[in-house]
Amino acid sequence: QAPAPEPLVGAPIEVIGQRIADRLSIAAKRGARTILDAVASDEVRRLPDASVVDAMRRIPGVSVVPVADNEHPRDVPVAPVVRGLTQAYNNVTIDGQPVASTGIPDAGSNSTSRGVRLDILPASLVSRLDVVKTFTPDRDPNAIGAAIDLHTRSAFDDGARPFVSLEGGLARPSRSGAVQSQPALGGHGALTASRTFGASDQFGLVLSAHYRQLANNSTVHGTSDSGYLVFYDADGNRVEDDGDTGNGIPVPEQDKYWVNSSSRRQWGGSARFEARLDTLHLSLLAGEFHFRDGYIRNEVVIDPKSDTVVDQTATSGHFDAASIQVGYRDGVTRNRTRLVMGEARWEPGARDVVRLSASVSQARMREAYAQVKFTAGLTASGSVKGSSAFPVDYDTSTLQHSFSVPEDSYYDLSLYPLAYWRKRQRRALSDLGTVRLDWSHAMAPGDEGLGFAMGLGVQRSAYRYRYTSRVYKTTDRTITLADAGYVSGVSLPYNREGLKLLVIDPVKAWALLEANADSVYLESDPDDDLADRFTHRETSLSGYALAHFAQGPWELEAGLHLDATRLSTRGYMEVDESWQAAANAARYAPLLPAALVDFDASEALTLRAAYSRTIGRPSYESYSPGSSIEFGTDSTLGDGTSQDVSVSLGNPDLKPRRSDNFDLSAEWRLPTGFDGLFALAAFHKGIRNEIFDAVTSGYTYDGVYYRYAKVTQPTNASGARVSGLEASLTVGSLAPVSRHLTGLGFSANWTRLEGSLDVLTSAGTTRRLGQLVGQPGEIRNLAMFFTQDGFELRGALNWTSTALRAITPDVAYEDVYWAPRRQLDLQARYHFGAGLSVILDVANLTEARLTSVTGPGRAWLKDSYSVPRTVRLSLHWGLGN
């Protein structure tokens, strides 16, 4: 734990709200041996932002990202990117112990990645959030980006005084109920209470509970899910989708419009029992947290189906035919996290500490959604072709392109035959158990001379994933949108003709499935679900030893960490349309060194330097057999000379990513009165064994070598590098400048990141990108606050530059980037006294959108999501604040 903030010297100022949170964060940073940044709760034990992820965006070197697949809304951030490295490169702990997670939806609707979705955990759980940017051997080494530790409240905080924090309020989004009916207001509440008891107050108990609910709308405008742009030659004929840019004039593949309705609800609680019995300290934390994310998508997609464009200019053109898709998707994702964490800390001597810790946690995700689609241009055989009733004129004169079709045809619902009904389910279950024993001698803050520490631990985890998909179609083309749809009053966002959203009534649409059973057939093969069914197990035995030396202004620490991991994955493999059980197994045992030096150059200035080696474990599905061998029409099972054989494989031999990390930092405490800190940090990470899908030729199956088989398999095929500079300045008061500015303070930070990534192409060559996936080039934060007579006003601005979102290895112009984004948040508080406060929060005041770009010069729209403004009004009452 960090030391308490040092008392102010000089003219007294009122320390509430953002100011006390900043002071606690500074104390945590200066009290740590490593390079660390923190976000702390304020005097009423409230984070300065509504969620853990929102609070993290204020930290130097941290940006945040939403779910980036095509089946979930993007209007809230879910995970941090630390120093350009996504959640898969960072570990998350609660009070230093790992927590199970089902991961974060990745590029596809039926996949997940490693990492903890932090928006599932309540902000009320956290008293301080640490982002540890340098690795020490006593930590989990799966932390190339950072180790993120969430500290919960202790009953012995603040001198063990009884504490109660009760907050409740209402929230209103700027967008709601545009298509489906939604409540205009959401509610939230949180209760945290702690006290000590016993003859000498040696026991402590903390109870916490929370609830949050909010429904909103978001709009989306974009192009297709892949192959975002098309090109034509000088005669107007479409060229191959192989990187050929034809006449050099890009045309968006589609004009896609979504109107989303989201309904999110979180609830849960935790209890922490503690005992301080002379030399023995005990702690037990138990919690359960639920997150329900409901999502409805109404969509219209205008899709030109002509291979020829006419009357083309640099920003316009005409197609003779198009198909138009009208869809409805309705689903709910449910997440539940349960945990029990215990620790016994024994101090047998004045300078010795023995710590035994254990934890069990389980995370469960269940998702079910249904989709119905009607498509104009659907032929009698079920294929999609262009309809001459829908000629298209397109306009790309601005980033938000627009396609126009005749209104008479567009609003004729009888022209949209039913395409399919679809039901999908995803389930994931993650179990995690750990036991660890640590011993340290002369390692406490202030201990001088030589110290030692060592520890042993075991961690066992299991991850089970299931995915099912059922697609029903009909041969009856007389079933149309006229039977189950209507024209809404909602305009398609950015459509320059003002076309209205066509909406499907789901009750009527699904009733058509039963009413037309004679013409309905199941198109999907249930056996294909086995491709995405696997069970992954890992056992890691870890051990470390480190030495510590402190003398005067110097503090040195060095050690080694051994991580011996054994894993096995069971799944299924498809061979010539037949699925068979398969299993993979592997192991690795890297020895990871780390060293750091701290030097107190003066009472106010601390210099730090560190080196460490860390790892990034591959995703679960990279190990999964999840494989197939497909024989084309001219190939035969057993014929090694077959020319049309495709193989997709998992890779049990994948090595974890490995990073060599170099860090330097300087921390200067500002002169008394400013109540602040200036910090500067530089770092470099060289990452080996980066993972990409490699394409090779030749494969042996059942004793036969298929020499021409095309084999796709994840492999350690490239390297990556990222370097950066982080600067931060916190000023609690400008009183030394003028007594009239006593109540004014600010915090600001700036991060510059430079990265590179070698991408493997299908030809076996590599191309170099200037960024890692998720990495922005620059991050800026500015928060200003004013405090006087119990009133506080705070404004926080976050700006993130262009960041790489997704890579298309063979076609560079199809790489996708997050566009620069600026978000402004406001907060006002008034403390009435007697522990009562009123708090007004405004998130995303300007309703800044979340936009992705692609194409030549990154000048073409991939998609653009609206992020509603949210206004929250809360009452807070506290005892012991």
Side-chain angles (χ1 to χ4, degrees):
Q1 298 288 331
E6 299 173 10
L8 290 172
V9 179
I13 61 173
E14 188 171 19
V15 182
I16 63 172
Q18 182 66 43
R19 177 164 292 149
I20 190 63
D22 284 346
R23 293 189 67 204
L24 292 169
S25 298
I26 290 172
K29 185 176 182 70
R30 287 186 58 80
R33 289 195 178 108
T34 60
I35 298 174
L36 171 151
D37 286 290
V39 176
S41 57
D42 57 23
E43 82 285 0
V44 297
R45 289 299 177 263
R46 187 181 194 271
L47 286 179
D49 290 276
S51 77
V52 173
V53 187
D54 284 329
M56 287 196 69
R57 77 165 82 225
R58 318 295 178 197
I59 292 176
V62 178
S63 57
V64 299
V65 294
V67 172
D69 72 352
N70 296 315
E71 295 298 340
H72 300 85
R74 260 181 233 161
D75 56 301
V76 294
V78 300
V81 176
V82 183
R83 291 183 162 180
L85 297 155
T86 61
Q87 71 281 344
Y89 296 84
N90 309 309
N91 70 60
V92 175
T93 55
I94 297 177
D95 291 330
Q97 300 199 55
V99 58
S101 172
T102 58
I104 297 174
D106 209 344
S109 62
N110 60 336
S111 65
T112 59
S113 65
R114 288 187 190 260
V116 176
R117 182 171 173 171
L118 281 173
D119 64 329
I120 293 174
L121 300 174
S124 59
L125 178 72
V126 183
S127 65
R128 196 182 80 229
L129 186 155
D130 290 347
V131 178
V132 184
K133 297 177 177 178
T134 53
F135 168 73
T136 53
D138 56 320
R139 294 185 176 273
D140 187 331
N142 185 51
I144 293 179
I148 300 167
D149 191 23
L150 283 63
H151 295 266
T152 62
R153 178 176 173 79
S154 168
F156 295 97
D157 289 345
D158 302 322
R161 292 179 299 169
F163 174 84
V164 177
S165 174
L166 177 62
E167 182 174 316
L170 297 173
R172 183 182 180 91
S174 57
R175 299 172 181 266
S176 66
V179 181
Q180 283 76 28
S181 177
Q182 291 180 304
L185 297 176
H188 58 275
L191 169 66
T192 302
S194 71
R195 63 160 299 172
T196 57
F197 57 95
S200 56
D201 285 330
Q202 70 270 39
F203 302 111
L205 182 64
V206 181
L207 299 175
S208 179
H210 72 281
Y211 175 85
R212 183 181 295 272
Q213 180 274 328
L214 185 67
N216 65 18
N217 271 188
S218 60
T219 62
V220 182
H221 181 223
T223 184
S224 58
D225 295 337
S226 61
Y228 320 116
L229 300 170
V230 294
F231 292 87
Y232 299 84
D233 61 21
D235 296 324
N237 298 313
R238 181 166 176 164
V239 299
E240 295 293 330
D241 297 331
D242 59 0
D244 185 355
T245 57
N247 61 13
I249 302 175
V251 181
E253 179 81 52
Q254 296 176 345
D255 197 16
K256 178 186 294 183
Y257 302 94
W258 292 352
V259 177
N260 302 327
S261 298
S262 297
S263 178
R264 299 181 176 93
R265 188 164 70 244
Q266 292 178 287
W267 69 97
S270 64
R272 181 178 181 184
F273 171 77
E274 300 169 273
R276 296 193 173 182
L277 309 171
D278 296 326
T279 61
L280 181 63
H281 295 175
L282 303 174
S283 175
L284 181 66
L285 172 69
E288 179 165 322
F289 312 105
H290 293 259
F291 179 50
R292 180 192 183 278
D293 191 355
Y295 174 51
I296 293 173
R297 184 176 78 212
N298 304 275
E299 63 178 283
V300 170
V301 181
I302 303 173
D303 189 357
K305 289 296 182 182
S306 174
D307 288 334
T308 303
V309 65
V310 297
D311 300 329
Q312 188 178 31
T313 72
T315 60
S316 65
H318 175 85
F319 296 103
D320 291 334
S323 72
I324 298 183
Q325 306 169 37
V326 179
Y328 175 89
R329 187 260 198 212
D330 186 358
V332 176
T333 304
R334 293 177 172 87
N335 291 274
R336 184 197 69 197
T337 303
R338 290 175 173 170
L339 58 87
V340 178
M341 298 176 170
E343 178 181 299
R345 179 186 173 93
W346 178 45
E347 299 178 4
R351 306 182 75 187
D352 291 285
V353 176
V354 179
R355 176 175 172 263
L356 175 65
S357 60
S359 68
V360 291
S361 57
Q362 183 186 80
R364 184 184 70 185
M365 182 274 292
R366 294 181 300 157
E367 179 178 86
Y369 69 87
Q371 187 172 12
V372 182
K373 185 163 284 189
F374 294 80
T375 301
L378 195 66
T379 67
S381 64
S383 61
V384 179
K385 294 187 176 180
S387 169
S388 59
F390 297 97
V392 174
D393 292 305
Y394 71 83
D395 180 354
T396 59
S397 59
T398 64
L399 177 67
Q400 302 285 352
H401 61 265
S402 178
F403 289 10
S404 302
V405 296
E407 291 191 13
D408 290 346
S409 299
Y410 178 78
Y411 293 123
D412 186 350
L413 304 187
S414 66
L415 296 178
Y416 299 82
L418 198 148
Y420 62 78
W421 300 267
R422 176 188 292 165
K423 292 185 177 181
R424 287 181 171 175
Q425 290 188 345
R426 292 193 314 136
R427 294 186 176 222
L429 184 67
S430 176
D431 291 289
L432 179 66
T434 65
V435 178
R436 179 169 157 172
L437 178 65
D438 299 86
W439 168 74
S440 65
H441 172 75
M443 294 286 289
D447 283 344
E448 291 209 344
L450 190 61
F452 306 92
M454 62 182 64
L456 295 171
V458 59
Q459 177 173 297
R460 300 192 67 179
S461 62
Y463 187 93
R464 292 177 284 278
Y465 188 82
R466 303 292 184 267
Y467 175 77
T468 61
S469 178
R470 299 292 179 268
V471 179
Y472 301 90
K473 291 188 175 182
T474 178
T475 58
D476 188 350
R477 297 293 171 252
T478 66
I479 305 173
T480 69
L481 186 58
D483 299 312
Y486 62 94
V487 179
S488 75
V490 178
S491 297
L492 300 181
Y494 300 106
N495 183 268
R496 289 192 263 284
E497 296 299 311
L499 295 176
K500 302 297 184 181
L501 178 72
L502 304 182
V503 177
I504 297 171
D505 183 325
V507 175
K508 292 181 178 179
W510 282 99
L512 291 173
L513 178 65
E514 298 181 7
N516 297 274
D518 292 343
S519 67
V520 172
Y521 63 96
L522 178 65
E523 185 198 48
S524 56
D525 184 352
D527 288 344
D528 289 344
D529 296 338
L530 297 175
D532 298 294
R533 179 172 298 182
F534 66 89
T535 299
H536 180 82
R537 299 182 185 277
E538 283 183 359
T539 300
S540 294
L541 298 175
S542 62
Y544 74 89
L546 63 87
H548 174 264
F549 179 78
Q551 189 68 49
W554 291 94
E555 194 166 6
L556 297 87
E557 191 169 286
L560 295 170
H561 182 108
L562 177 66
D563 182 275
T565 297
R566 183 181 62 205
L567 57 93
S568 64
T569 306
R570 295 183 179 275
Y572 295 86
M573 185 172 186
E574 184 187 31
V575 181
D576 201 20
E577 301 183 358
S578 176
W579 288 94
Q580 303 172 9
N584 290 333
R587 62 180 62 199
Y588 52 84
L591 187 64
L592 306 169
L596 61 89
V597 179
D598 289 355
F599 175 63
D600 292 327
S602 68
E603 185 178 347
L605 179 62
T606 298
L607 305 176
R608 307 181 196 268
Y611 163 77
S612 64
R613 178 171 291 174
T614 52
I615 61 173
R617 304 185 196 274
S619 65
Y620 304 115
E621 53 275 356
S622 294
Y623 289 122
S624 169
S627 309
S628 64
I629 304 176
E630 298 180 358
F631 294 87
T633 56
D634 297 328
S635 297
T636 304
L637 182 64
D639 180 4
T641 63
S642 296
Q643 298 282 332
D644 191 11
V645 180
S646 298
V647 181
S648 175
L649 299 174
N651 188 353
D653 297 323
L654 278 177
K655 301 174 184 178
R657 304 169 180 91
R658 191 183 78 183
S659 177
D660 288 299
N661 314 298
F662 302 87
D663 293 89
L664 293 171
S665 79
E667 300 162 10
W668 176 54
R669 190 177 62 195
L670 302 184
T672 300
F674 284 105
D675 191 23
L677 182 76
F678 173 73
L680 185 67
F683 69 90
H684 172 77
K685 297 178 183 291
I687 304 171
R688 301 181 185 179
N689 299 329
E690 186 54 83
I691 299 168
F692 277 98
D693 285 341
V695 179
T696 58
S697 297
Y699 185 70
T700 299
Y701 174 72
D702 200 19
V704 178
Y705 179 67
Y706 298 89
R707 69 180 64 185
Y708 301 112
K710 179 182 178 182
V711 182
T712 303
Q713 184 179 39
T715 185
N716 299 112
S718 70
R721 293 149 292 280
V722 62
S723 302
L725 185 66
E726 301 168 348
S728 63
L729 174 63
T730 301
V731 175
S733 173
L734 291 174
V737 177
S738 169
R739 63 181 179 84
H740 301 292
L741 301 178
T742 298
L744 186 64
F746 68 90
S747 61
N749 60 68
W750 171 80
T751 303
R752 179 67 183 175
L753 299 169
E754 296 284 349
S756 66
L757 178 66
D758 295 329
V759 178
L760 188 68
T761 70
S762 61
T765 60
T766 60
R767 67 180 177 96
R768 177 159 292 185
L769 280 76
Q771 290 175 274
L772 279 65
V773 175
Q775 177 221 311
E778 193 174 350
I779 308 167
R780 305 173 192 168
N781 280 292
L782 174 64
M784 300 194 68
F785 46 90
F786 175 77
T787 303
Q788 183 172 350
D789 300 328
F791 171 76
E792 183 190 44
L793 180 64
R794 170 180 177 263
L797 179 66
N798 170 261
W799 181 84
T800 304
S801 71
T802 302
L804 181 61
R805 171 181 159 186
I807 301 169
T808 303
D810 291 340
V811 185
Y813 67 72
E814 287 189 356
D815 293 341
V816 180
Y817 293 82
W818 299 110
R821 184 172 183 270
R822 179 185 292 109
Q823 179 165 322
L824 175 63
D825 305 314
L826 300 176
Q827 185 182 94
R829 303 187 187 198
Y830 187 73
H831 297 252
F832 290 98
L836 184 64
S837 303
V838 60
I839 305 167
L840 177 68
D841 295 288
V842 183
N844 195 22
L845 177 69
T846 61
E847 297 187 85
R849 296 180 70 92
L850 185 66
T851 298
S852 298
V853 293
T854 186
R858 307 176 194 172
W860 298 84
L861 180 69
K862 167 57 177 78
D863 50 43
S864 178
Y865 278 67
S866 67
V867 180
R869 175 177 57 249
T870 303
V871 180
R872 293 183 177 87
L873 181 64
S874 309
L875 286 175
H876 180 276
W877 178 77
L879 173 67
N881 299 332

